[in-house]
Amino acid sequence: MVICVKDRSTGEKCHISRNVTGWTIHGLWPSVGSSKGPAFCNNSSKFNESAIEKLLPALDVYWPNLHSDTVRDDFWAYEWSKHGTCAKLVKETRNEYLYFKKALDLFQMINFTGILTDIGVIPDDNKLYDVLDILNKITPRLSKVKGIKPRLSCYKYKEQFYLTSVIICFTKQFEMTSCLQKPRDNRLYFQSLKDKKQIEKVENLANNDDLIDCPHDHLVKYPTIRYH
């Protein structure tokens, strides 16, 4: 997974258990008018693992904490504190259990790993894929509504770009919508896999709003999972 590639450059420790076989969730992120924020909306609403006990087997597979130098629920606690507390005004995500369940439901409904497999994009450490071609092929499979596109992001490590995340946006009614639609009031922001941290700006990035930090020639790696 690309998160482990990133960890090589940050010094963090990456661990992937063998029950993780494809893409994973980063989070379900509410936004009001932009793709950033709100965040940390209710400091008194503390994360409680027992509230999501029934979801833990699925979370370990589809929303795992891949950093071995942190405790199991560290990632979930952070996502709840930063984003989940801001989703409580929406009926379907009004509490901790419903928030995590909705993210799992959306993720499994989309099945991005399966979509990539269907279009012939298979993890391969020695092959380069055209990320724009991937975007064009997955768009009609994600939504039959014309004009609605996901966004793909890339990460550069040692002069090589990697496909790192897919961003899919929904309305508060959880209908898929364009992430670049303006205004973007009351959109919910869903991201699969680990999102990029702040990385240095690189030259020759693709001039396409649907591609984030991807190379000008669109060529990226989609590596195999290396279990630790």
Side-chain angles (χ1 to χ4, degrees):
M1 279 189 172
V2 176
I3 183 61
C4 293
V5 175
K6 292 182 181 182
D7 284 355
R8 295 174 202 164
S9 61
T10 62
E12 294 177 279
K13 296 180 180 179
C14 179
H15 173 79
I16 303 175
S17 63
R18 291 193 175 275
N19 61 349
V20 177
T21 60
W23 285 68
T24 60
I25 301 170
H26 187 163
L28 183 62
W29 300 353
S31 66
V32 179
S34 74
S35 61
K36 296 181 180 180
F40 301 105
C41 295
N42 187 346
N43 291 331
S44 65
S45 183
K46 303 298 184 183
F47 175 78
N48 177 11
E49 185 175 302
S50 63
I52 57 171
E53 185 174 0
K54 293 181 180 180
L55 301 176
L56 292 179
L59 289 170
D60 280 331
V61 175
Y62 303 116
W63 197 340
N65 179 8
L66 300 177
H67 294 295
S68 59
D69 51 354
T70 61
V71 297
R72 177 195 189 194
D73 65 0
D74 185 74
F75 186 32
W76 305 327
Y78 179 78
E79 289 298 305
W80 168 253
S81 177
K82 184 175 182 180
H83 302 292
T85 57
C86 301
K88 295 178 74 172
L89 294 179
V90 177
K91 183 178 179 180
E92 292 187 65
T93 54
R94 65 184 179 274
N95 59 43
E96 184 181 322
Y97 175 83
L98 292 176
Y99 170 76
F100 284 95
K101 185 178 186 302
K102 175 55 71 173
L104 287 169
D105 289 345
L106 292 173
F107 180 78
Q108 292 173 311
M109 174 188 73
I110 293 166
N111 185 17
F112 192 63
T113 303
I115 289 176
L116 287 181
T117 300
D118 288 345
I119 64 171
V121 178
I122 309 296
D124 189 325
D125 294 326
N126 300 310
K127 187 174 182 178
L128 293 176
Y129 289 98
D130 186 321
V131 70
L132 183 59
D133 184 57
I134 292 174
L135 176 67
N136 291 335
K137 288 181 178 178
I138 67 173
T139 295
R141 293 172 180 265
L142 286 171
S143 175
K144 295 182 180 180
V145 180
K146 187 177 181 180
I148 293 181
K149 284 186 177 182
R151 302 183 77 195
L152 301 181
S153 71
C154 305
Y155 179 78
K156 186 181 181 183
Y157 177 70
K158 291 187 176 180
E159 305 307 314
Q160 178 61 61
F161 284 88
Y162 294 81
L163 176 62
T164 184
S165 64
V166 56
I167 302 166
I168 300 172
C169 296
F170 296 86
T171 66
K172 287 197 296 184
Q173 291 72 42
F174 294 99
E175 297 173 349
M176 199 174 294
T177 187
S178 173
C179 295
L180 297 176
Q181 180 176 319
K182 296 181 180 180
R184 288 192 54 228
D185 293 340
N186 301 323
R187 302 300 180 201
L188 282 174
Y189 180 84
F190 173 78
Q191 182 150 341
S192 170
L193 197 71
K194 293 285 187 177
D195 182 27
K196 60 179 177 20
K197 296 180 180 179
Q198 289 296 325
I199 61 175
E200 59 180 331
K201 295 296 182 181
V202 293
E203 297 179 354
N204 299 322
L205 297 181
N207 184 23
N208 187 316
D209 289 337
D210 296 312
L211 301 177
I212 305 169
D213 295 325
C214 295
H216 180 69
D217 62 8
H218 303 148
L219 297 179
V220 299
K221 278 193 171 184
Y222 178 38
T224 57
I225 298 176
R226 295 183 181 182
Y227 295 104
H228 301 270

